[in-house]
Structure formats: structure tokens, C-alpha cells
């Protein structure tokens, strides 16, 4: 019996190994990737989609952008945005590519669903949440907006979800809204994020939220609020998943130029070391900023044309390019006229590098709609500056508001007496 024991033990070990090999392997744990570079590459799809369908883009530019767009689509299996982009750009859909991507998506989702089910059966809430977030991220990059929103809603509805986790989901949803250019969606999630941050968000998330809100602000043409938020974030910029730092500086200078006063622009923009580090790589925006401050209006107008061409290829600012062009000229005209009581039209036209007829028509329109405080003497061919009396205007406004208040009090007293 003693001589047979080693042989029987060997048989038992072999059987145990066989049973272990036959047992199904547990699904691998899954988790959403938090790499800002990867997320930034996905967000770039929205920019490229806009540029590919933009008629203002050159043929060579569209071809180059389409090649980059297609490579990123294949990387993320972004079927939904690919099909929409093909329709917008009038490009034939590659059905073989679409079928291949859909199969890969189905395989990946099956793996994630298996991992989520295993986590529900054998793990805890944290592992389930990681799986749901990974699934939502896959759907955000491959499916339509509503499907992705539903997936994130399922993840955030889990019990014991902390404020930080809820805030992370809000950032995902804000990016989703910006990706599909759903401005009302972005607005609602910016407000929700602000409430969460006020209730105990950390500084890193607070600073990122400023960039997200600033992006929403200049997308709706609120350049003043956007400029304030961008300047507050300039030293702590961490939202590289939205756009790179040079693009952040571009937005900062554009918004500041048409909304902030000369003193603020000099202190927070022109002399800001963070901006000076990258501004040399953007000659047009650098010339625009410096020419306006140094009163080189001819150079400012030349740089303005180049900057507007860039705005027309930016999906956030393209709808506001005409407004920016007009508002930037208004800022320059106001700054110029502050130095004169009267100036001849030919002299002013020569300073700005435009014709007298163009300047006459432009100033007439701006004066008529109240954008400039001056009047044009066509006979003498001069512009007379009327500097607004802000103190008198404030006094008149106070008197008017006081009269309205007294009228309301009188009406209220009659009701109380009755």
C-alpha cells in the first residue's frame, strides 16, 4: 500500500489540473481609460468632421483632414460619426469598413457585459461601476449621443456614488455635448457640475470646469465671461482632453481682444508669461494682439483678416466669425477716436489702410446703431468724437429708476388703503 500511494497522489494531481484547465476563465476586469491624450484624440474627430465638410477649407486641406479623420475613426471604431461625416461631406460610405467596425464593437461590448455580470455576481459596487463606465465610454466613442447618455445615466445611478464620481460623469457628458455640438446639453451639465463643485469639488476639477464653461461661453458668443474664465485658468490648464494648450491660448486672445479693456489686456494677456511661451508659434494672433495695443491699426486690420480665416475653420467660433470681425473693428475705432476730438476721414482711412468710402459707410452704420459715439461731417469730411458722459448717464438712469420705484410705491399704497 505504501508503494502505491505516490502513484495515486500523482493521479489526483493530474485530475485536479485537468479540472482546472476545463473550468471557464473568469472575465477580465474592465475599466474606462482616463488618458487625456486618448480622449483628446477622440474629441479631435469633431473638429475634423467640421473641417472636412467646411466649404471654406481648401481641397488639399479637406483631403488631409479626411485622412486624419479616417485614421482616428478606425482607431476608435467610431461608426456613428463616420456615417454622419460621410453624409455631410458627400463621401461614399465604406460598407466593408462599417461592418468590420460594428463586429469589433459587438465583440468588445460582449466582453464588457460579461465582466459587468461577473462583477455583479462576485465583486462589489466599485467593480460594477468601473465596468459600466467602460461600457459608457465605448458607446460614447462608437454610438450615437442618446445611447451614450443612457449608458452614463446607468453608471451614475448606482448606489454609493460619490460626488467626485458624479462630477467625473458630468465631465464625460459635457464632452459628449461638445462633441455633438449640443449646446443646451452642455449648458445643463455645466450647471449641474457647478452645484457639485460648490458642494465639495477639489481644485483640479474646479479649474477644469472653468475651461469647460469657458468653451460653452464662447460657443454662445459670451466672449466677456469666456475671457474671464480662460484667464483664471491660464496658469492651471489641465483640460487637455478638450484641446491643446496653444489652442487654449488662441481662444483666450480672441475672446480678450473684443471684450476686455486695454489695461486688462496688457496686464493679463500681452505680458502673461504663459501666453508668451507659445504665442510666437501663432503669428497672426500675436500680430493682432500687439498691433491693437500699439495702435498700429493698418497691421491690426491685416492680422484680423488672417485670424478670421482661422475662426471660419473652428467649429466653436465659425458661427461668430462675422460678429468677431465687426466687433474687433469697433474696438479699434473706439480706441483710435479716444485720442481725437476731430479727425479727417482721409487721415483716419490712411491710418487703417482702407478707402475713404469704406470707412464712411462703416462709421455711418456704427453711429446709426449706437456702437460709436461720434458724428460725421460729410461737408468738411471730418469725424467729430462725442465722448460719452458716463456720470451724467448714470445720474439720468438713477432718476429714471427712482421715478419707476415711486410710481410702484404709490400704486401699492392705494391697494393697501383700499
Amino acid at each position: 500500500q505504501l508503494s502505491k500511494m505516490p502513484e495515486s497522489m500523482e493521479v489526483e494531481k493530474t485530475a485536479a489540473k485537468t479540472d482546472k484547465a476545463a473550468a471557464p476563465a473568469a472575465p477580465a476586469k474592465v475599466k474606462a481609460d482616463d488618458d487625456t491624450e486618448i480622449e483628446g484624440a477622440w474629441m479631435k474627430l469633431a473638429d475634423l468632421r467640421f473641417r472636412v465638410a467646411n466649404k471654406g477649407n481648401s481641397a488639399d486641406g479637406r483631403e488631409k483632414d479626411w485622412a486624419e479623420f479616417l485614421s482616428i475613426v478606425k482607431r476608435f471604431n467610431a461608426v456613428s460619426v463616420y456615417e454622419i461625416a460621410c453624409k455631410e461631406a458627400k463621401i461614399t460610405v465604406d460598407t466593408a469598413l462599417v461592418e468590420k467596425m460594428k463586429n469589433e464593437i459587438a465583440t468588445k461590448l460582449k466582453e464588457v457585459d460579461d465582466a459587468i455580470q461577473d462583477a455583479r455576481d462576485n465583486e462589489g459596487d466599485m467593480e460594477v461601476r468601473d465596468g459600466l463606465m467602460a461600457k459608457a465610454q465605448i458607446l460614447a466613442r462608437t454610438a450615437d449621443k442618446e445611447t451614450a447618455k443612457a449608458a452614463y445615466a446607468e453608471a451614475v445611478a448606482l448606489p454609493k456614488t460619490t460626488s467626485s464620481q458624479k462630477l467625473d460623469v458630468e465631465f464625460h457628458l459635457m464632452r459628449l455635448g461638445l462633441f455633438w455640438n449640443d449646446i443646451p446639453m452642455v449648458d445643463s451639465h455645466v450647471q449641474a457640475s457647478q452645484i457639485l463643485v460648490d458642494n465639495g469639488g477639489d481644485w483640479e476639477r474646479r479649474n477644469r470646469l472653468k475651461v469647460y464653461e469657458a468653451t460653452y461661453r464662447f460657443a454662445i458668443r459670451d466672449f466677456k465671461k469666456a475671457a474671464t474664465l480662460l484667464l483664471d485658468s491660464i496658469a492651471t490648464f489641465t483640460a487637455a482632453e478638450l484641446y491643446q494648450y496653444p489652442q487654449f491660448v488662441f481662444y483666450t486672445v480672441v475672446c480678450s481682444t473684443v471684450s476686455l479693456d486695454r489695461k486688462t489686456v496688457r496686464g493679463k494677456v500681452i505680458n502673461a508669461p504663459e501666453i508668451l511661451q507659445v504665442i510666437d508659434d501663432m503669428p497672426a494672433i500675436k500680430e493682432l494682439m500687439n498691433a491693437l495695443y500699439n495702435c498700429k491699426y493698418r497691421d491690426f486690420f491685416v492680422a484680423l483678416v488672417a485670424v478670421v480665416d482661422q475662426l471660419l475653420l473652428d467649429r466653436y467660433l465659425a458661427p461668430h466669425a462675422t460678429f468677431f470681425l465687426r466687433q474687433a473693428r469697433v474696438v479699434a475705432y473706439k480706441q483710435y477716436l479716444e485720442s481725437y476730438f476731430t479727425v479727417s476721414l482721409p487721415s483716419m482711412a490712411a491710418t487703417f489702410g482702407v478707402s475713404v468710402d469704406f470707412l464712411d459707410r462703416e462709421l455711418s452704420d456704427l453711429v446709426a446703431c449706437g456702437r460709436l459715439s461720434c458724428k460725421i461731417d460729410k461737408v468738411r469730411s471730418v469725424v467729430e468724437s462725442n465722448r460719452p458722459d458716463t456720470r451724467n448717464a448714470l445720474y439720468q438712469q438713477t432718476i429714471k429708476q427712482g421715478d419707476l420705484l415711486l410710481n410702484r410705491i404709490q400704486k401699492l399704497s392705494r391697494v393697501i388703503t383700499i
Side-chain angles (χ1 to χ4, degrees):
Q1 290 181 354
L2 289 174
S3 62
K4 292 182 179 179
M5 283 181 62
E7 182 179 353
S8 61
M9 291 175 62
E10 191 69 27
V11 171
E12 290 176 359
K13 289 180 180 180
T14 305
K17 289 181 180 179
T18 305
D19 292 341
K20 186 175 181 180
K29 293 182 180 180
V30 293
K31 190 175 182 180
D33 62 75
D34 298 324
D35 192 327
T36 56
E37 184 178 350
I38 296 175
E39 192 71 4
W42 172 69
M43 286 294 293
K44 193 175 182 181
L45 274 177
D47 299 326
L48 294 169
R49 169 195 164 192
F50 176 81
R51 291 169 63 90
V52 165
N54 193 328
K55 295 181 180 179
N57 197 1
S58 64
D60 292 339
R62 286 198 298 271
E63 185 177 351
K64 180 180 178 182
D65 290 333
W66 177 254
E68 186 177 4
F69 175 83
L70 202 57
S71 67
I72 300 176
V73 163
K74 293 176 181 177
R75 176 182 177 183
F76 293 107
N77 292 321
V79 175
S80 184
V81 69
Y82 168 72
E83 292 177 333
I84 293 174
C86 287
K87 183 178 180 181
E88 291 173 344
K90 296 179 174 58
I91 297 174
T92 304
V93 176
D94 187 342
T95 54
L97 175 62
V98 170
E99 188 65 25
K100 177 176 176 292
M101 290 192 294
K102 286 183 177 180
N103 290 334
E104 291 180 2
I105 293 169
T107 301
K108 186 64 177 176
L109 288 176
K110 177 66 168 58
E111 294 175 359
V112 173
D113 285 335
D114 290 343
I116 293 172
Q117 188 59 47
D118 181 70
R120 292 185 192 277
D121 297 337
N122 305 312
E123 303 288 346
D125 291 339
M126 184 179 296
E127 288 76 13
V128 174
R129 181 185 178 279
D130 288 343
L132 290 175
M133 287 296 293
K135 181 178 179 180
Q137 189 176 65
I138 292 171
L139 292 173
R141 293 171 177 176
T142 61
D144 59 273
K145 178 182 61 180
E146 296 303 324
T147 303
K149 284 173 64 177
Y152 280 117
E154 184 181 2
V156 81
L158 288 174
K160 300 180 183 179
T161 303
T162 65
S163 297
S164 297
Q165 291 169 341
K166 291 179 181 178
L167 193 54
D168 289 338
V169 172
E170 292 296 333
F171 279 117
H172 281 289
L173 290 169
M174 282 187 284
R175 285 198 297 275
L176 189 66
L178 290 171
F179 185 90
W180 293 107
N181 199 31
D182 188 342
I183 300 303
M185 176 183 172
V186 179
D187 181 23
S188 64
H189 289 291
V190 165
Q191 294 180 25
S193 300
Q194 193 64 57
I195 294 172
L196 291 170
V197 165
D198 292 341
N199 291 336
D202 57 57
W203 283 108
E204 191 271 337
R205 289 183 174 90
R206 287 176 184 270
N207 291 328
R208 284 176 63 205
L209 181 57
K210 288 181 181 179
V211 180
Y212 279 73
E213 184 180 356
T215 306
Y216 160 71
R217 290 293 176 182
F218 61 66
I220 63 169
R221 202 183 289 179
D222 187 357
F223 289 145
K224 187 174 181 63
K225 180 66 174 177
T228 303
L229 290 168
L230 290 170
L231 289 173
D232 287 345
S233 310
I234 200 165
T236 57
F237 176 76
T238 56
E241 66 274 12
L242 286 184
Y243 32 73
Q244 295 300 311
Y245 192 73
Q247 189 69 17
F248 170 80
V249 170
F250 176 82
Y251 290 139
T252 303
V253 175
V254 166
C255 294
S256 302
T257 299
V258 295
S259 62
L260 301 182
D261 59 86
R262 179 182 170 88
K263 181 179 178 181
T264 304
V265 170
R266 180 180 182 275
K268 293 187 175 183
V269 181
I270 294 178
N271 292 334
E274 296 86 1
I275 291 180
L276 292 175
Q277 288 178 358
V278 298
I279 198 68
D280 289 336
D281 297 329
M282 297 178 283
I285 202 72
K286 178 183 179 180
E287 183 65 21
L288 181 84
M289 178 178 69
N290 292 324
L292 179 62
Y293 180 78
N294 295 324
C295 303
K296 298 179 179 179
Y297 299 108
R298 181 189 292 268
D299 296 338
F300 173 76
F301 269 30
V302 173
L304 182 60
V305 174
V307 171
V308 169
D309 287 341
Q310 295 179 35
L311 296 184
L312 291 171
L313 295 178
D314 185 276
R315 67 189 181 96
Y316 297 121
L317 295 177
H320 315 303
T322 303
F323 170 83
F324 176 82
L325 178 63
R326 185 178 179 85
Q327 182 63 24
R329 296 202 304 265
V330 170
V331 171
Y333 293 144
K334 282 183 177 180
Q335 181 174 293
Y336 177 82
L337 291 173
E338 282 179 358
S339 304
Y340 300 95
F341 285 108
T342 60
V343 61
S344 68
L345 274 172
S347 175
M348 186 174 178
T351 301
F352 283 89
V354 296
S355 67
V356 175
D357 291 339
F358 171 84
L359 187 62
D360 185 21
R361 291 194 305 271
E362 176 122 299
L363 294 181
S364 299
D365 292 341
L366 294 174
V367 170
C369 63
R371 302 297 302 278
L372 287 179
S373 297
C374 64
K375 59 182 180 180
I376 303 172
D377 189 335
K378 187 65 174 176
V379 177
R380 296 164 53 205
S381 191
V382 298
V383 179
E384 299 179 4
S385 178
N386 296 329
R387 298 182 180 177
D389 188 349
T390 55
R391 180 177 297 180
N392 185 53
L394 182 61
Y395 173 76
Q396 295 295 336
Q397 183 181 2
T398 304
I399 294 296
K400 184 177 180 180
Q401 293 176 346
D403 289 340
L404 291 173
L405 179 60
L406 288 174
N407 290 335
R408 291 177 181 175
I409 292 175
Q410 289 176 356
K411 290 179 181 178
L412 181 61
S413 65
R414 292 171 188 169
V415 173
I416 294 174
T417 304
I418 294 173

